[in-house]
Amino acid sequence: DMKVTQMPRYLIKRMGENVLLECGQDMSHETMYWYRQDPGLGLQLIYISYDVDSNSEGDIPKGYRVSRKKREHFSLILDSAKTNQTSVYFCASSLQGASERLFFGHGTKLSVL
Amino acid sequence: AQSVTQPDARVTVSEGASLQLRCKYSYSGTPYLFWYVQYPRQGLQLLLKYYSGDPVVQGVNGFEAEFSKSNSSFHLRKASVHWSDSAVYFCALSRNNYAQGLTFGLGTRVSVFP
């Protein structure tokens, strides 16, 4: 069906709480990404996953970690969330590298109070 | 380091008029170049992609883009816009190395008025 699904769509957390953002894709894509989108900053790459248990830091990995135990699932974890992590988070996938088309989820709007 | 610049944060255009969105990139090699569109409360969707060949590349919904190596540009065009083209448009660059992720411009918000 060529979909990237993100859960939840909206999330409100208090500072210091742990946050789990989940992403799934049904295209058997090898490569998956987490981006965050902020006004004036555009989309910034947090992490890339090349396949199961093969993850690499992007441009802004500090304060985040990821988990990919199955090819179709890629999770973003915020341990002890901070207010400056309030953002819209997008998951994406591609067949291989970023020279291929990226498929994006609808995003998760996270507010850390 | 690579970068993408979209000099126009907002563009307003009348329905039926033509549209051009500018994109300049900085990259020492030959990049893959993309235009993505983001409709309200949705993720980004690919409009078109360029790597080599004819510098004018056709995309979906009547969009096309022209690559210029001499100007380091990849401008997006549409001959006649519809109100449904109101969205944010992102130019992006991928280094031609495996799985490095995309570098995005800040986007141009397009508003189409009747």
Side-chain angles (χ1 to χ4, degrees):
Chain A
D1 203 24
M2 296 175 65
K3 278 196 311 186
V4 176
T5 304
Q6 289 185 240
M7 295 293 289
R9 290 292 299 271
Y10 301 92
L11 187 61
I12 300 174
K13 288 287 192 178
R14 295 192 182 279
M15 191 170 58
E17 292 185 326
N18 298 330
V19 178
L20 173 65
L21 304 184
E22 303 204 78
C23 175
Q25 49 100 358
D26 61 4
M27 296 166 280
S28 296
H29 283 170
E30 291 182 359
T31 311
M32 296 186 74
Y33 313 78
W34 277 106
Y35 285 89
R36 63 178 282 177
Q37 184 179 33
D38 301 286
L41 296 177
L43 283 99
Q44 298 172 273
L45 180 63
I46 306 171
Y47 266 95
I48 302 175
S49 174
Y50 303 117
D51 211 328
V52 171
D53 284 330
S54 179
N55 306 317
S56 180
E57 294 180 345
D59 299 320
I60 53 162
K62 187 177 178 182
Y64 304 94
R65 61 184 175 93
V66 292
S67 175
R68 192 166 179 202
K69 298 300 182 185
K70 294 183 179 180
R71 178 173 277 192
E72 62 269 23
H73 289 130
F74 190 34
S75 300
L76 181 69
I77 301 129
L78 290 66
D79 295 314
S80 188
K82 299 173 180 52
T83 56
N84 62 8
Q85 292 178 307
T86 293
S87 186
V88 180
Y89 291 86
F90 286 99
C91 175
S93 71
S94 65
L95 187 57
Q96 287 187 332
S99 59
E100 303 287 337
R101 169 186 177 181
L102 266 65
F103 290 79
F104 283 83
H106 280 64
T108 294
K109 186 171 184 178
L110 171 66
S111 298
V112 182
L113 306 178
Chain B
Q2 71 283 355
S3 66
V4 177
T5 301
Q6 294 180 248
D8 303 309
R10 292 179 179 270
V11 169
T12 300
V13 62
S14 298
E15 195 167 27
S18 63
L19 174 70
Q20 176 170 287
L21 303 181
R22 296 181 290 165
C23 173
K24 300 271 285 185
Y25 69 90
S26 174
Y27 180 59
S28 57
T30 302
Y32 291 86
L33 292 163
F34 304 80
W35 277 97
Y36 282 82
V37 60
Q38 184 179 28
Y39 298 105
R41 294 173 297 282
Q42 295 188 27
L44 282 70
Q45 302 171 33
L46 181 69
L47 279 178
L48 46 79
K49 164 187 169 182
Y50 175 81
Y51 179 63
S52 65
D54 189 336
V56 178
V57 59
Q58 303 296 319
V60 298
N61 298 335
F63 285 94
E64 67 176 26
E66 184 166 6
F67 169 72
S68 171
K69 187 170 184 177
S70 60
N71 293 326
S72 298
S73 67
F74 189 53
H75 300 330
L76 181 70
R77 302 190 294 244
K78 186 170 183 178
S80 177
V81 295
H82 186 262
W83 64 266
S84 59
D85 292 322
S86 296
V88 182
Y89 292 79
F90 292 93
C91 183
L93 172 159
S94 169
R95 291 161 281 179
N96 55 1
N97 291 323
Y98 175 71
Q100 297 282 333
L102 291 177
T103 298
F104 287 89
L106 295 185
T108 298
R109 181 176 297 278
V110 174
S111 298
V112 180
F113 288 91

mmCIF file of all heavy atoms in Angstrom, chain A residues 4 27 48 68 84 92 105:
data_model
loop_
_atom_site.group_PDB
_atom_site.id
_atom_site.type_symbol
_atom_site.label_atom_id
_atom_site.label_comp_id
_atom_site.label_asym_id
_atom_site.label_seq_id
_atom_site.Cartn_x
_atom_site.Cartn_y
_atom_site.Cartn_z
ATOM 1 N N VAL A 4 3.812 5.114 5.068
ATOM 2 C CA VAL A 4 4.599 5.266 6.283
ATOM 3 C C VAL A 4 3.630 5.767 7.352
ATOM 4 O O VAL A 4 2.982 6.796 7.159
ATOM 5 C CB VAL A 4 5.757 6.253 6.094
ATOM 6 C CG1 VAL A 4 6.485 6.466 7.413
ATOM 7 C CG2 VAL A 4 6.713 5.752 5.028
ATOM 8 N N MET A 27 6.701 -1.108 2.870
ATOM 9 C CA MET A 27 7.328 -1.218 1.556
ATOM 10 C C MET A 27 8.635 -2.020 1.593
ATOM 11 O O MET A 27 9.350 -2.069 0.604
ATOM 12 C CB MET A 27 7.607 0.194 1.022
ATOM 13 C CG MET A 27 6.321 0.984 0.787
ATOM 14 S SD MET A 27 6.597 2.750 0.562
ATOM 15 C CE MET A 27 6.785 3.305 2.258
ATOM 16 N N ILE A 48 19.522 8.169 10.912
ATOM 17 C CA ILE A 48 19.264 7.307 9.766
ATOM 18 C C ILE A 48 19.441 5.859 10.218
ATOM 19 O O ILE A 48 20.340 5.567 11.021
ATOM 20 C CB ILE A 48 20.263 7.550 8.621
ATOM 21 C CG1 ILE A 48 20.251 8.988 8.153
ATOM 22 C CG2 ILE A 48 19.970 6.650 7.442
ATOM 23 C CD1 ILE A 48 21.320 9.261 7.096
ATOM 24 N N ARG A 68 15.769 0.015 15.930
ATOM 25 C CA ARG A 68 15.182 -0.659 14.772
ATOM 26 C C ARG A 68 15.475 -2.144 14.910
ATOM 27 O O ARG A 68 16.561 -2.610 14.592
ATOM 28 C CB ARG A 68 15.746 -0.112 13.460
ATOM 29 C CG ARG A 68 14.932 -0.599 12.261
ATOM 30 C CD ARG A 68 15.256 0.192 11.054
ATOM 31 N NE ARG A 68 14.509 -0.251 9.894
ATOM 32 C CZ ARG A 68 14.902 -0.018 8.659
ATOM 33 N NH1 ARG A 68 16.028 0.643 8.433
ATOM 34 N NH2 ARG A 68 14.170 -0.439 7.656
ATOM 35 N N ASN A 84 12.828 22.152 24.632
ATOM 36 C CA ASN A 84 13.310 22.497 23.284
ATOM 37 C C ASN A 84 13.195 21.328 22.304
ATOM 38 O O ASN A 84 13.597 21.448 21.138
ATOM 39 C CB ASN A 84 14.742 23.030 23.317
ATOM 40 C CG ASN A 84 15.745 22.015 23.833
ATOM 41 O OD1 ASN A 84 15.423 20.845 24.037
ATOM 42 N ND2 ASN A 84 16.970 22.465 24.046
ATOM 43 N N ALA A 92 10.557 8.878 7.719
ATOM 44 C CA ALA A 92 10.560 8.655 6.279
ATOM 45 C C ALA A 92 11.281 7.347 5.980
ATOM 46 O O ALA A 92 12.059 6.853 6.798
ATOM 47 C CB ALA A 92 11.229 9.818 5.544
ATOM 48 N N GLY A 105 5.865 9.957 6.572
ATOM 49 C CA GLY A 105 4.654 9.849 7.351
ATOM 50 C C GLY A 105 4.006 11.206 7.532
ATOM 51 O O GLY A 105 4.526 12.228 7.075
#
